[in-house]
């Protein structure tokens, strides 16, 4: 026995420092383990993309369950869930161009660019699309691909590249910017790519949101600087600053606006859907273009959130903009990007506190509910606020198990999970900043869920109702362009994007952007 122990100790003394040293480099995971995670993520990406190419292209998406091509809803013009993003312009292909660079697949990158050259001369398409969605997914995809194709310093430049991706981006930009020609001063939310915003039915032009109005600035700014046509940046900057000037004395902006009158239609704010990328683009624009004014906007708006919206456990809650009174006790799946943004802002403590709430959601549901109630309504009602919840207590007439299920289900206010990227995005940023293997473990769990539960015959199907697990007949383009991209990057410490030479800002759709004098 003693001999065995001595051998064991010797073994540990001999090998522990080696194991420790190599695992420390990759935050506690060995390189072969990380390599395996990368390969598995890569093969998921190719499963999704190749399914799209085989069955979906040239349409916008592929139905992951039936393998039919998927495009706009021509029967119901009010089906904005589909029609806002699907412009009949091979959406998935444009949105995933730079993902091939991230995966280190130069051939795939060049092949897809050639395919675009062969298929698209312009965006002269009779389709009503949402300006924000088209900007972040298609224009953003084109700009990032153009940067990689043209900038020799990044190692993906294409021989004899003639800038046609930028010409396409310019064509698209000129169509999208027409939406700003609205007397009210607020851009129309939608436009018709061929005929302009006036061709869009009025019923679709009423409701705008703060994120939609302010989040064109990164793509439009880059487009202006690369083409030397200032119009895009001038207009989007002016729109952003106008919006910011209508903040309340508390420094808060409401989330919805009537585009016809430029009047806010609610008085509530938070960090999730409808306002998320306002914060994101204030900070990212200030970094990409070294802009003091936008840095001040970020600082001031974040300070207001810390003061009025953050609660005692670190959730950024929804509040009234004029008096900061609690408004709605829920958070949404889109808000899960905020911890990642806070990493970029250098505020790790608040990033981690808010992240742990989403982590808990992932752990509980194996997904992030689209909207989740943190009020504990039924419990508080049953006990008239007298008894705080304890995991071993139950509701009247229920077992402990039944109580847990009831409370879990009660809390899901919107039940779908379309494989959104935000939680993975924040996991990635927190890992980059801390190198804590905890985040790699979270990533590994997400990867397993993709392999086991989200994988479908032709790509990946989201969940229609996370309480029962019914599947969604849709793979949005962001599954490939964002969710799997961030997951891959999480497992790839030596990716070009993590080197000084490859540094970039990710757009809200995870397209890497950079800009300096050499690109002018
Ligand atoms: C993406 O298209 C972008 O991240 C956008 O900013 C918000 N939501 C979707 C994915 O959830």
């Amino acid at each position: 026995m003693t001999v065995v122990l001595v051998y064991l100790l010797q073994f540990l003394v001999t090998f522990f420092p080696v194991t420790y040293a190599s695992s420390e480099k990759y935050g506690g995971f060995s390189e072969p383990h990380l390599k395996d995670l990368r390969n598995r993520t890569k093969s998921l990406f190719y499963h999704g993309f190749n399914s799209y190419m085989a069955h979906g292209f040239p349409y916008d998406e592929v139905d992951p369950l039936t393998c039919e091509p998927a495009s706009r809803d021509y029967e119901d013009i009010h089906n904005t869930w589909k029609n806002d993003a699907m412009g009949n312009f091979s959406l998935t292909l444009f949105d995933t161009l730079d993902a091939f660079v991230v995966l280190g697949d130069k051939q795939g990158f060049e092949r897809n660019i050639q395919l675009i050259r062969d298929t698209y001369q312009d965006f002269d398409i009779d389709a009503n699309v949402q300006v924000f969605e088209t900007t972040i997914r298609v224009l953003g995809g084109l700009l990032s691909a153009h940067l990689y194709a043209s900038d020799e310093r990044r190692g993906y430049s294409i021989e004899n590249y003639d800038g046609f991706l930028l010409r396409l981006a310019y064509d698209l930009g000129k169509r999208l910017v027409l939406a700003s020609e609205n007397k009210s001063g607020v851009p129309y939310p939608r436009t018709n790519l061929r005929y302009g915003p006036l061709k869009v039915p009025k019923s679709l032009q009423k409701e705008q949101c703060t994120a939609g109005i302010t989040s064109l600035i990164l793509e439009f700014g880059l487009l202006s600087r690369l083409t030397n046509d200032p119009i895009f940046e001038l207009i989007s900057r002016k729109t952003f600053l106008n919006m910011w000037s209508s903040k309340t004395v508390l420094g808060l902006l409401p989330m919805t606006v009537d585009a016809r009158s430029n009047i806010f239609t609610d008085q509530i704010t938070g960090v999730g859907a409808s306002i998320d990328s306002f914060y994101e683009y204030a900070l990212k624009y200030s970094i990409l273009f070294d802009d003091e004014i936008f840095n001040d906007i970020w600082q001031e708006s974040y300070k207001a959130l810390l003061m009025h919206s953050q609660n005692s456990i670190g959730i950024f809650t929804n509040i009234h903009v004029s008096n900061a009174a609690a408004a709605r006790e829920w958070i949404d799946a889109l808000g899960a990007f905020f911890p990642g943004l806070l990493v970029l802002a250098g505020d790790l403590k608040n990033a981690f506190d808010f992240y742990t709430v989403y982590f808990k959601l992932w752990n509980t549901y194996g997904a992030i509910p689209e909207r989740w109630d943190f009020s504990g309504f039924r419990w508080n009602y049953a006990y008239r606020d007298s008894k705080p919840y304890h995991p071993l207590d139950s509701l009247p007439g229920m077992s402990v198990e039944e109580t847990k299920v009831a409370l879990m289900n009660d809390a899901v206010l919107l039940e779908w999970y379309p494989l959104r990227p935000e939680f993975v995005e924040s996991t990635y940023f927190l890992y980059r900043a801390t190198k804590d293997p905890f985040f790699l473990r979270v990533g590994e769990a997400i990867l397993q869920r993709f392999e086991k539960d989200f994988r479908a015959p032709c790509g990946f199907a989201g969940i229609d109702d996370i309480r029962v697990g019914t599947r969604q007949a849709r793979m949005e383009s962001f599954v490939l362009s964002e969710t799997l991209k961030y997951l891959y990057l999480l497992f790839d410490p030596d990716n070009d994007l993590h080197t000084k030479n490859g540094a970039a800002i990710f757009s809200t759709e995870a397209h890497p952007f950079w800009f300096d004098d050499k690109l002018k």
Side-chain angles (χ1 to χ4, degrees):
M1 183 66 178
T2 335
V3 179
V4 176
L5 265 180
V6 170
Y7 274 123
L8 194 64
L9 276 175
Q10 268 181 355
F11 175 84
L12 283 179
V13 170
T14 317
F15 291 105
F16 183 72
V18 177
T19 322
Y20 179 76
S22 65
S23 61
E24 189 189 35
K25 180 168 176 208
Y26 300 113
F29 274 50
S30 69
E31 169 49 23
H33 188 173
L34 277 183
K35 191 172 175 196
D36 174 58
L37 298 175
R38 279 200 296 280
N39 287 341
R40 284 159 57 195
T41 311
K42 214 181 222 185
S43 84
L44 291 182
F45 176 87
Y46 286 116
H47 166 64
F49 185 79
N50 294 341
S51 299
Y52 165 70
M53 287 312 291
H55 305 281
F57 181 80
Y59 294 93
D60 291 306
E61 295 174 8
V62 63
D63 180 325
L65 301 176
T66 63
C67 298
E68 296 289 320
S71 195
R72 303 172 61 75
D73 186 342
Y74 290 99
E75 263 137 50
D76 179 6
I77 55 157
H78 290 100
N79 183 351
T80 50
W81 178 53
K82 285 194 160 178
N83 294 350
D84 273 354
M86 296 208 247
N88 200 11
F89 42 32
S90 313
L91 170 68
T92 304
L93 179 64
F94 282 102
D95 208 3
T96 46
L97 286 175
D98 57 76
F100 284 80
V101 171
V102 173
L103 298 180
D105 180 354
K106 191 164 191 216
Q107 260 188 342
F109 177 60
E110 291 186 3
R111 193 183 50 239
N112 293 330
I113 283 181
Q114 187 57 42
L115 187 60
I116 286 187
R117 184 192 279 283
D118 297 342
T119 323
Y120 288 92
Q121 272 74 53
D122 54 41
F123 287 91
D124 185 24
I125 304 166
D126 183 8
N128 301 330
V129 291
Q130 205 204 41
V131 177
F132 168 74
E133 291 293 355
T134 312
T135 299
I136 65 168
R137 301 197 198 200
V138 184
L139 183 60
L142 278 167
L143 289 171
S144 187
H146 166 74
L147 288 175
Y148 278 115
S150 59
D151 190 340
E152 283 160 13
R153 295 167 296 176
R154 301 280 166 145
Y156 283 85
S157 57
I158 296 176
E159 230 183 290
N160 302 323
Y161 172 65
D162 63 358
F164 86 96
L165 293 167
L166 185 61
R167 280 202 297 282
L168 263 184
Y170 192 36
D171 174 79
L172 181 58
K174 283 189 281 188
R175 295 170 194 276
L176 294 172
V177 79
L178 292 181
S180 299
E181 287 183 359
N182 185 5
K183 284 194 292 268
S184 75
V186 166
Y188 291 106
R190 301 180 173 83
T191 195
N192 182 291
L193 288 175
R194 178 174 293 162
Y195 300 111
L198 297 181
K199 180 75 192 305
V200 178
K202 288 204 168 75
S203 53
L204 287 168
Q205 298 289 47
K206 288 190 232 162
E207 198 179 300
Q208 248 297 18
C209 67
T210 304
I213 294 168
T214 53
S215 312
L216 311 175
I217 184 134
L218 208 62
E219 287 80 1
F220 277 25
L222 190 55
L223 182 62
S224 275
R225 295 185 190 220
L226 291 170
T227 57
N228 290 321
D229 183 345
I231 193 75
F232 309 101
E233 189 163 12
L234 277 177
I235 287 183
S236 56
R237 206 181 150 99
K238 186 167 162 227
T239 312
F240 194 114
L241 295 173
N242 273 345
M243 184 74 185
W244 177 236
S245 68
S246 35
K247 64 186 175 301
T248 61
V249 282
L250 301 184
L252 299 165
L253 280 174
M255 303 196 284
T256 47
V257 182
D258 186 328
R260 297 163 304 180
S261 57
N262 194 359
I263 290 175
F264 288 118
T265 49
D266 71 18
Q267 289 298 307
I268 311 264
T269 200
V271 297
S274 299
I275 192 151
D276 45 1
S277 43
F278 155 74
Y279 295 103
E280 183 178 6
Y281 273 20
L283 179 60
K284 290 184 174 176
Y285 181 87
S286 79
I287 296 173
L288 187 62
F289 300 121
D290 196 14
D291 191 296
E292 281 289 316
I293 296 175
F294 278 73
N295 185 44
D296 290 348
I297 295 175
W298 159 253
Q299 300 291 349
E300 199 181 329
S301 58
Y302 181 44
K303 204 165 131 201
L305 285 176
L306 283 175
M307 196 174 295
H308 305 296
S309 150
Q310 193 188 34
N311 73 8
S312 57
I313 60 161
I315 294 181
F316 287 87
T317 62
N318 291 303
I319 49 168
H320 286 275
V321 286
S322 47
N323 57 11
R328 301 159 177 154
E329 290 184 294
W330 49 254
I331 52 173
D332 63 21
L334 292 173
F337 89 104
F338 204 63
L341 188 69
L342 294 189
V343 171
L344 193 63
D347 187 350
L348 277 185
K349 156 104 183 56
N350 287 316
F352 187 68
D353 287 351
F354 197 24
Y355 176 86
T356 48
V357 177
Y358 285 102
F359 167 70
K360 190 77 187 140
L361 288 185
W362 179 271
N363 236 6
T364 307
Y365 299 98
I368 305 291
E370 186 72 3
R371 190 179 283 175
W372 182 77
D373 180 343
F374 57 85
S375 70
F377 175 75
R378 192 176 344 183
W379 183 271
N380 289 333
Y381 182 78
Y383 292 106
R384 303 286 184 278
D385 288 324
S386 63
K387 186 174 174 181
Y389 174 72
H390 183 279
L392 293 178
D393 287 346
S394 61
L395 282 163
M398 280 188 192
S399 68
V400 171
E401 257 331 288
E402 284 165 345
T403 301
K404 269 189 202 158
V405 174
L407 293 181
M408 255 176 73
N409 287 344
D410 276 1
V412 176
L413 297 184
L414 295 176
E415 66 280 7
W416 54 89
Y417 174 57
L419 312 182
R420 288 193 188 283
E422 289 78 5
F423 178 60
V424 188
E425 176 179 347
S426 286
T427 307
Y428 161 70
F429 278 109
L430 275 157
Y431 175 66
R432 293 300 310 158
T434 62
K435 301 286 159 51
D436 188 327
F438 165 76
F439 298 106
L440 293 174
R441 274 190 215 113
V442 176
E444 188 167 13
I446 296 170
L447 171 64
Q448 282 162 357
R449 188 119 161 91
F450 262 85
E451 292 174 327
K452 262 182 50 224
D453 304 318
F454 301 149
R455 194 182 170 110
C458 280
F460 304 93
I463 307 290
D464 239 347
D465 186 340
I466 60 169
R467 293 165 304 188
V468 282
T470 39
R471 307 191 82 185
Q472 210 172 45
R474 185 149 185 213
M475 174 174 70
E476 293 230 33
S477 62
F478 55 66
V479 178
L480 300 178
S481 75
E482 281 195 85
T483 312
L484 291 178
K485 185 191 284 170
Y486 280 126
L487 197 58
Y488 182 83
L489 283 169
L490 171 68
F491 302 138
D492 194 13
D494 300 324
N495 195 282
D496 283 349
L497 279 160
H498 302 148
T499 65
K500 210 171 166 204
N501 184 49
I505 283 283
F506 290 101
S507 75
T508 190
E509 188 73 3
H511 297 301
F513 289 167
W514 62 94
F515 186 75
D516 58 25
D517 284 349
K518 291 210 173 90
L519 293 167
K520 272 184 188 161

